[in-house]
Amino acid sequence: MILAATFMAEARQVARAPLSDGWRFRQVRGVNWYPAAVPGVVHTDLMANGLLEDPFVGMNERAAQWVDKEDWEYVTSFDVPPAVYERENIRLVFEGVDTYADVYLNSQKVVVAKNMFRTWQVEVKRLLKPEGNELRVYLHSPVKIDLPKCLALDFAYPAVNDQSENGGLLNRKISVFARKAGYHYGWDWGPRLVTSGIWRPVVLEAWDGARFEDVHVSPGGVTAASARVSVTAEVSSGRAAQGVLTVADAESGTVYAEEPVRLEAGTNTVSAGFTLKNPRLWWPNGLGEPHLYTFAVSLKVDGAVADTRAVRSGMRDVRLVREKDADGKGASFTFEVNGHPVFMKGANYIPNDSFLTRVTAARYRDVVARARDANMNMLRVWGGGIYEDDLFYDLCDESGILIWQDFMFACSLYPADALMMENIRQEAVQNVKRLRNHPCIALWCGNNEMNDAYHGWGWKKYLEGKGVAEMVKAEYDAVFLGLLPEVVRQYDPSRPYRSSSPISDFNPEGSDTESGDMHFWQVWHAEKPFTMYEEVIPRFMSEYGFQSFPELATVKRYAPDEKDWDIQSDVMLAHQRHPRGNQLIRIYMKQNYREAKDFRSFLYMSQLLQADGIRIAQEAHRRAMPRCMGTLYWQHNDCWPVASWSSSDYYGRWKAQHYFTRKLYQEVLVSPYRTEDALRVQVVSDRLTPIEGTLTVRLMTFGGAVVFERRVAATVPANASVALFDEAVETVVAGHAPNAVFVSAAFEEKGRVLNDSVYFLVPLKEVALPRTVIERTVTPFKGGFSVALKSPVFARGVYLSTDEGLDDVYSDNYFDLLPGRAVVVTVRSAMAADEFNKALRVVSMCDAVVEGASAAE
Ligand code: BMA
């Protein structure tokens, strides 16, 4: 959709040529040159040349730690085609350099880069020759640059997740000195792989006269009747001239606005505006179509087109409503979209790879599809990663996924002298300008957890002890209360800014359940039971989570050798980055489940445990709407194969939690839960119109006998959460042992089940799950198989897998099979039928626990 001109483009327009060919690289201390990929990073180039073992396999990460202590040099040479060489202006653009680099063009230093989140550009016409130009990029080791800064201080800027020890730097947390993705230095789900490289494209741009530097399309006052669209363009012009700014529909050609503009030599701001009548609105996933308009914006100078840009935009009104409660104690935290309060269902998003340049378009498509297909309407791009690629936001625009966008600061405190402030300002301005056209962006947020950490994690005390608390706090305030909100006000005034996530509206030193957002980690870090999710419910839950292991097919990729199949083996521990991760999983497993019989079963049970636990929170948050208006669990994805809080692993394989989430985030949720001695069923609807339907609540034995049944006809109001069933447990169980029965609840509209749920009246550990063998019938179809499944008795967490088919996608998995009821699962797979039949394993929880460890024990 971008009307990108190339060298072939019409002479007057801006020409762009990537400089991606012919690159070579070397370790500066070394002598040999090797072929290199640009965009790319040193680690992947070393791997491609057979000089580094894949750090994602086994314990190879350890053997990669030397890379960040070295300087590296990248060189290419290129000719400039005449059609470009003759243009009035030629600019060299680095869209992203990681991180410290000197760039030389024909031996002249033209760029000194020091921030991986910024773009760097320089006018190079006078330096270029028609042939044989040399472009050289000297990448300084981030360790060599930043370690001295760290050593010069007599206190440490805290950085809890920086795995400096793994990098051989003892306790020197140097990540805070670099404007570089925090997770590169290690995280509690990620390896320490401190990359260097030319990680985004290098391009030559050439033009005559005038060009767009930026085009901002900003819809305002959006209603069903009309939308006011303002287009503001930054234009550089070589001379004073008369021009025309035109905005047209890219498809139909309909001209919306045509403004004569006066250009002076230098930078100009020109604008045009128009009103769209009865606009097609952009809706978040689940509420309607996320319609996108593509506006062709063009600039004519002296009658000829000088530059064009195609800008996609969505007509939507998103606001964050924070109204004081009637009792004055708290305030709402509600995203309102097109006039409707919308409950945010989503997750926190991290970068998709430690080596960012490996994230292909297909992987971006998959990770966003994983959100859309799980019925999410929001992702939080978390501050320890990157401002994502344009493609990511394009896909979110198309999928109706709203974005909570952090600036890139997380779980640390950062120095901010005048030079750093300017560096951060440029980073913020560039990224806000780059992303503000996307309708998906809902909110800007200064940082992740820094406010909580300063006040609540003992950092303030530590810094006071060192006599620098005021200074460090002043640096914090300057960035997050001064610079960043100012940039947002100036460049994207229609969007809200929050200084930190989480933060209370009334207590600037922390977060709480009465206002603002909250990260709730008492479950997991503080070992509190999952049921605490039902007790602590904030206005907006922006983080909570629980770890699980990836399934065996993924584990095999990093631990191929069976001798390592023990969660405490060195290899498995290298892929478990939370210091107490295994211990915590074991503790919760013991509290909630019976013992897993072997390694494979433990992996599977860890996924069910995570899904069961997080489900309690997801349901409690949704039930609590409209007081609570959002649930974003930690975390959507992984950056390498690892045990983590993710609901889908590095290869994109859905964990149990992802399948559970898809159902729990449906438009309508049926949520059974227990109070002291009653069973309640609540129905939550995100639909913007009322639903007439029927709730059926059944109590069944594991053999399939229905011992209680009630049907409740009800109208569920629009966008509401209502209790439709409330009955004494005693009445419902009707004399049966509570551990030998389960609740099955479903809500249907005109005979179609909108959502259903299985619920146990006692903790799962005590449930007398019967043993069963699941019958299966496999029928091949083109590109896959359908698998019909049936069990005479209840089967918990039915799991289909073939350890081989990494790309297999199941229509459903980890689901409960009701006694006697047939379920058909389809799987897309490249396997041959007999191969699949042999490899397919169908198990349920009763197969995974130690034989004889019966429920009643
Ligand atoms: C939150 C996140 C991450 C972290 C996660 C799990 O604090 O912001 O920093 O990975 O918890 O500990």
Side-chain angles (χ1 to χ4, degrees), residues 161 187-189 380 382 411 448-449 457 519 521 524-525 543 578 634-635 645:
N161 289 291
W187 214 267
D188 54 8
W189 37 258
R380 169 169 175 248
W382 161 85
C411 301
N448 177 71
E449 293 184 351
W457 301 0
H519 295 186
W521 284 103
W524 183 260
H525 289 294
E543 272 190 25
H578 189 257
W634 184 267
Q635 72 205 63
W645 296 264

Side-chain angles (χ1 to χ4, degrees), residues 25-62:
F25 84 119
R26 66 159 183 155
Q27 185 179 340
V28 169
R29 287 196 302 142
V31 283
N32 297 326
W33 288 87
Y34 298 93
V38 170
V41 293
V42 171
H43 288 83
T44 46
D45 283 332
L46 288 171
M47 276 187 266
N49 285 287
L51 301 168
L52 187 72
E53 298 267 15
D54 184 351
F56 285 7
V57 174
M59 293 185 288
N60 291 345
E61 172 203 356
R62 296 184 188 177

Side-chain angles (χ1 to χ4, degrees), residues 596-612:
K597 71 175 186 202
D598 53 23
F599 178 72
R600 177 200 288 275
S601 305
F602 190 87
L603 304 182
Y604 155 76
M605 299 251 294
S606 81
Q607 291 203 19
L608 279 179
L609 179 68
Q610 176 194 33
D612 273 338

Side-chain angles (χ1 to χ4, degrees), residues 41 119 178 265 359 394 438 459 528 728 789:
V41 293
T119 61
V359 188
D394 284 340
H438 291 278
W459 294 5
K528 296 287 190 241
L789 301 161

Side-chain angles (χ1 to χ4, degrees), residues 831-853:
M831 284 187 179
D834 53 339
E835 201 192 336
F836 179 80
N837 242 320
K838 227 192 287 150
L840 178 68
R841 302 165 56 92
V842 181
V843 295
S844 73
M845 207 175 211
C846 73
D847 302 303
V849 294
V850 173
E851 190 90 34

